[in-house]
Amino acid sequence: MSRKPAPPPLPDLLKDPTRRARARGTLAQPAPRFDAQSRHYENDGWDLPDDTPDVTREVRLEEPRSAISWNQSPDLGFDRAVNAYRGCEHGCIYCYARPTHAYLGLSPGLDFETRLIARPNGAQVLEREIGRKGYRVQPMALGTNTDLWQPIEAQHRIARSILQVLSDWNHPVTITTRGALIERDIDILSDMARRNLVDVGITVTTLDPALARAMEPRAPTPARRLAIIRAMAGAGIPVRLMMGPIIPGLTDHEAEAILKAGRDAGARSAWWALLRLPGEVNALFQDWLQQNRPNHAAKVMKLLREMRGGRDYDPAFHARFRGQGAYAELLAQRIEKTRTRLGYTKIHPDLDCGQFRKPPRAGDQLSLF
């Protein structure tokens, strides 16, 4: 009887013993894949634990040449997006965007959570792009790579300025976030909702606050995220419950409870995705499992490989979000039956692209003919 080959060993993860990182997803610093140099730490015998400094946040500013990122992926519901920040202070250990930090010469590990890039003139660049003569409107996606309403948004307010531009132009927008800061922008969002221009997705991965604290250390608690859904729904803003990622053997047993909690809070529709482990995320997540949930580690990876055709990750379109095999099919059936029972809508109404227009500006000349 043939056996599936054992998965390749994971690389050793570099961890700086001279730094202390409280409320971070990982201490590991895997080298950027494009970096020709590498490093390792040696103990010199001068351990001074009381003097170990915390890792602090560093924010650099960037002037983007373009604001819109385009894609042609057949399994995404959008073809354009705006990302105002690189890196994310929420520190979710499973974040599929971690490998993008390697393009900046930074580590997808701790650097992704602490060495952030902000684009303060993103709204101005966006307005220039959507105002071009050949631009054809379709819903703009916000929060597809990193969260626009992460903690640094409180100081930089880039997400709000982007929302204002889209509102001024009557440009439809879809949002994915787990940040409580989005409640600050209910005034803009509710006004856009009245024009059928916005759809907001709030991510809830678990209802267990201890697990959320370990897995998503600087994101709002599960209860706080449900409160965001209630606030949005109460303001007349259509809300999607985003169950992503579902981690087999760790959070999949909560699927029905999360769906019920989201529906009770006011979510109209629900979407879900299976855990993805692209690039450096694989080693980082497995290290996190061993450190934080060692009794679950073997089961999680066994189930995940069963759902990924024997691999830790399958990047194929469509399969990457849902997986394959008996366990994946059972999970999909459970979610679909629960969504139907709870009265979730299967398809959200299309946002209105017909209102898109250049906003009137002071000094514009009015024609009488």
Side-chain angles (χ1 to χ4, degrees):
M1 182 177 65
S2 62
R3 293 184 177 181
K4 292 181 180 178
L10 293 170
D12 291 332
L13 290 175
L14 183 69
K15 297 181 181 180
D16 185 350
T18 68
R19 309 301 297 275
R20 178 177 57 199
R22 288 183 283 192
R24 299 295 180 187
T26 181
L27 289 172
Q29 286 284 64
R33 74 186 81 103
F34 308 111
D35 197 340
Q37 298 178 335
S38 62
R39 70 185 71 172
H40 70 278
Y41 294 100
E42 292 287 348
N43 191 331
D44 61 5
W46 291 93
D47 291 331
L48 300 172
D50 292 339
D51 294 333
T52 302
D54 282 329
V55 176
T56 57
R57 179 181 70 189
E58 171 190 320
V59 181
R60 304 182 202 173
L61 303 183
E62 175 185 84
E63 293 190 9
R65 287 177 293 181
S66 64
I68 302 176
S69 299
W70 300 86
N71 80 84
Q72 296 179 339
S73 300
D75 56 353
L76 295 179
F78 58 90
D79 66 354
R80 67 202 71 187
V82 176
N83 295 292
Y85 301 105
R86 298 177 186 261
C88 185
E89 198 176 5
H90 284 154
C92 303
I93 189 59
Y94 51 72
C95 182
Y96 59 82
R98 283 181 177 273
T100 62
H101 238 44
Y103 293 105
L104 306 175
L106 299 173
S107 173
L110 186 59
D111 281 351
F112 180 80
E113 309 172 34
T114 58
R115 301 181 69 181
L116 312 175
I117 309 293
R119 296 170 157 185
N121 64 334
Q124 293 90 333
V125 177
L126 173 62
E127 185 163 36
R128 184 174 69 234
E129 289 181 290
I130 65 176
R132 288 172 180 163
K133 185 176 181 180
Y135 182 78
R136 297 293 179 266
V137 63
Q138 285 295 324
M140 187 74 68
L142 303 183
T144 60
N145 195 43
T146 57
D147 202 320
L148 268 70
W149 285 269
Q150 60 178 286
I152 60 173
E153 166 64 14
Q155 291 79 44
H156 294 274
R157 300 175 68 86
I158 305 172
R160 184 174 176 86
S161 63
I162 288 172
L163 268 185
Q164 191 62 65
V165 165
L166 295 172
S167 177
D168 290 346
W169 283 75
N170 286 331
H171 195 302
V173 60
T174 63
I175 292 170
T176 300
T177 184
R178 66 198 66 199
L181 272 170
I182 196 170
E183 290 181 347
R184 175 203 63 190
D185 300 326
I186 282 180
D187 57 335
I188 300 177
L189 293 170
S190 59
D191 180 58
M192 295 184 76
R194 285 190 288 271
R195 290 175 277 155
N196 190 28
L197 294 175
V198 68
D199 172 56
V200 176
I202 304 299
T203 303
V204 181
T205 52
T206 178
L207 299 178
D208 181 347
L211 177 58
R213 172 67 171 170
M215 193 166 59
E216 309 156 330
R218 291 179 185 252
T221 65
R224 185 68 183 88
R225 295 184 219 179
L226 293 173
I228 299 171
I229 294 176
R230 283 192 291 272
M232 293 286 147
I237 301 164
V239 186
R240 278 173 291 118
L241 172 69
M242 307 290 286
M243 290 199 304
I246 291 179
I247 304 174
L250 187 62
T251 66
D252 57 323
H253 69 283
E254 295 187 75
E256 289 85 354
I258 294 172
L259 285 165
K260 184 177 187 308
R263 190 73 180 99
D264 290 346
R268 298 184 187 178
S269 62
W271 179 90
W272 69 278
L274 184 64
L275 173 68
R276 294 191 279 157
L277 298 178
E280 295 88 346
V281 183
N282 190 10
L284 289 166
F285 180 76
Q286 291 199 51
D287 178 70
W288 178 89
L289 275 176
Q290 293 294 340
Q291 298 296 323
N292 293 273
R293 294 295 186 273
N295 294 333
H296 292 79
K299 180 180 180 181
V300 168
M301 296 310 301
K302 176 180 180 294
L303 290 174
L304 191 64
R305 289 168 186 142
E306 288 178 2
M307 301 168 80
R308 297 296 190 192
R311 295 182 288 173
D312 292 349
Y313 179 53
D314 178 6
F317 291 132
H318 302 290
R320 58 179 176 165
F321 288 121
R322 295 291 189 264
Q324 57 183 310
Y327 201 88
E329 292 176 6
L330 177 61
L331 178 61
Q333 290 175 15
R334 286 172 49 202
I335 292 173
E336 184 56 35
K337 288 181 181 297
T338 305
R339 284 195 298 197
T340 300
R341 176 171 57 82
L342 294 173
Y344 278 105
T345 58
K346 290 188 176 182
I347 301 175
H348 237 329
D350 291 335
L351 299 179
D352 189 354
C353 295
Q355 302 177 58
F356 178 73
R357 55 153 177 76
K358 180 181 178 180
R361 303 295 189 194
D364 287 350
Q365 294 183 351
L366 298 178
S367 173
L368 298 178
F369 305 98

